[in-house]
Amino acid sequence: MKGVEILSRDGTARCGRLTVDDHVLLTPAATDTTRLYPALCSRSGSNIPALEDPEFVSLFLVRDGEQPVPLHIHAPFPIQPGETVITPNWHTLLSRPRDFCQFLDGLKASVPPDTCWYLPGAALPENAAILVHAGFDLFDYIATDLATAQGRFCLPDGQYPESVMGDGLCSCQGCMTGDLLLHNRAALDQELARIRRRIRDGTFREFLDGRCRTKPEYVSIMRHIEQSDRMEQNTPVSRTTPFFATSGDSIHRVEVRRFIDRLVDRYIPPVCDVAVLIPCSAKKPYSLSQSHRKFSQAIGRRAHELIITSPLGLVPRDIELCYPAAAYDVPVTGYWDHEERHLITKALVRYFTRHPYRRVLAHLDGDARIIAQEAADQAGFEIEFTGDTDRLTDPASLQALHEALDGERKVKSHLVRGMISFQFGYDLKAPNLEVKGSYPEQVVKRGRTLLFSTVPSHGLIRPTFDGWSLIETGYRVYIDNFVPQGDILAPGVIDADPVIRPGDEVLVIGDKAMATGRAVMGADEMIRSSRGIAVRVRKVKKLDGQ
């Protein structure tokens, strides 16, 4: 029995390979679990509801030494890496989203990350996405079979009367033959196949946004999970796919909160006491858009350019490549709702309180102009508006912006310092650095020595070994006494910087070698897992004497 191997992740959702004796199953999946785990057919005393009294649980919960191992919030139990656990009766918690998420977070923290999670009697096509998002891997057909017995026709958007089978809503074999049981099982299998595909593509979160709308409690569960530490620890710092902010919940996503927090807490702006707020553009990165070329030409490097945008709030020009600033897309309506305005105003207040300027100009229109004024009032600084509010790129408006900056000195650009402070939380003060190449694909050198390169597809700075020597602390992964021959596996990791998240650039350090690469797991999972790739290695350097 080999357990589960995680192949890919998208936040708390994951795709893996479950091996039980001679059975191999790609997860998340539904199956006849009694065939995988025969002990389920005869065991008793483990099907206790999650909200049962602790004394009752201690008296009647039975563990027979077989898998899947029953878990209960009132009965802690040591779980070995790679084992499968079962959480019976948790379908009763779906109507209690807060309890569902809090209990699950507690259990998840108590077991190894490479545990396979089996949720019995709960999975339907309409809730499969939210259950996978919660962190479950394995399901059965009990809920779909019950729906069949009740004459319910199951689809991802909900349940219908059996009489709709002939309406052409589905063309599976079950519908062609009038077999409701076959259809309902097939609908669940197809939904889980879609979920696996979305996880592998890195687009599951956008998929979930649409799928969870069938019931209010599913939306509540999504929102609770979104605010959890578990979600933040497992959400990648960058993706190669676009960030679609297509609903009101997008503004609460981990990627948005992380961007704003790093902007306020980590980012170091250039030495400058004048800032100009300008609107975002549809084209990313902003610098490549026609409107921003006009803005930048009018500003003439005499102020720090700050782009105001939803859902990120504020994007300084020198970190516009940092994910998701160069990868997001939003529906353009010209209207920002109250919650957007509140959260973006709050982000601006936090930034300007942390980084005050002598002058703040705003070349804005519409709601962005109102938000800028509200932020200035709350943060206690004066704001100067420039340009025609209807035509910000007209020559007259641009001339007004240009003239408003008369007499201001040019700002010394420091792309590297801004991006590295944002990405690594480190203040790089190295002198004599040169930025070369065609924007946005640029490299940073000192003389002939390559130190860093920008990776527009990820929105990250990629350090070489020489570059890492300038970043003296943070983002280190410590390995055992070996020379990596490929990627670093979790069992070889001794320790890791707690701030590491999936997708982070990391420096791997061991007694015999060093390596550079990208983290596949967060720090906690690297340390606690017994299988799976922890770091995708790019280069290895043997240490002297090896």
Side-chain angles (χ1 to χ4, degrees), residues 341-360:
R341 289 175 53 174
H342 171 73
L343 293 175
I344 294 170
T345 301
K346 182 179 177 181
L348 266 64
V349 170
R350 289 178 63 193
Y351 177 84
F352 284 111
T353 301
R354 180 72 178 268
H355 303 292
Y357 294 81
R358 176 173 55 86
R359 293 180 67 194
V360 178

Side-chain angles (χ1 to χ4, degrees), residues 298 363 386-388 391-404:
H363 195 69
T386 64
D388 188 324
R391 298 178 177 84
L392 294 177
T393 56
D394 274 9
S397 292
L398 295 172
Q399 183 63 27
L401 175 59
H402 175 82
E403 292 176 355

Side-chain angles (χ1 to χ4, degrees), residues 250-367:
S250 300
I251 204 164
H252 299 291
R253 283 181 58 170
V254 169
E255 294 93 329
V256 173
R257 297 201 319 272
R258 180 185 285 159
F259 185 92
I260 295 172
D261 288 343
R262 290 187 173 191
L263 173 69
V264 175
D265 299 332
R266 291 187 174 192
Y267 169 67
I268 300 173
V271 179
C272 176
D273 59 0
V274 181
V276 175
L277 290 167
I278 53 180
C280 65
S281 66
K283 190 167 187 177
K284 313 292 188 308
Y286 306 119
S287 292
L288 301 182
S289 72
Q290 186 177 8
S291 62
H292 275 243
R293 287 174 177 171
K294 292 179 179 179
F295 295 149
S296 293
Q297 185 176 6
I299 294 168
R301 293 174 53 194
R302 293 170 294 170
H304 188 203
E305 297 178 31
L306 303 172
I307 298 95
I308 185 169
T309 182
S310 178
L312 301 180
L314 198 66
V315 180
R317 174 72 72 197
D318 46 326
I319 61 169
E320 67 175 6
L321 290 180
C322 294
Y323 184 88
Y328 76 97
D329 201 358
V330 296
V332 179
T333 63
Y335 169 77
W336 292 5
D337 64 32
H338 177 75
E339 188 171 27
E340 277 183 296
R341 289 175 53 174
H342 171 73
L343 293 175
I344 294 170
T345 301
K346 182 179 177 181
L348 266 64
V349 170
R350 289 178 63 193
Y351 177 84
F352 284 111
T353 301
R354 180 72 178 268
H355 303 292
Y357 294 81
R358 176 173 55 86
R359 293 180 67 194
V360 178
L361 285 70
H363 195 69
L364 301 169
D365 58 5
D367 284 352

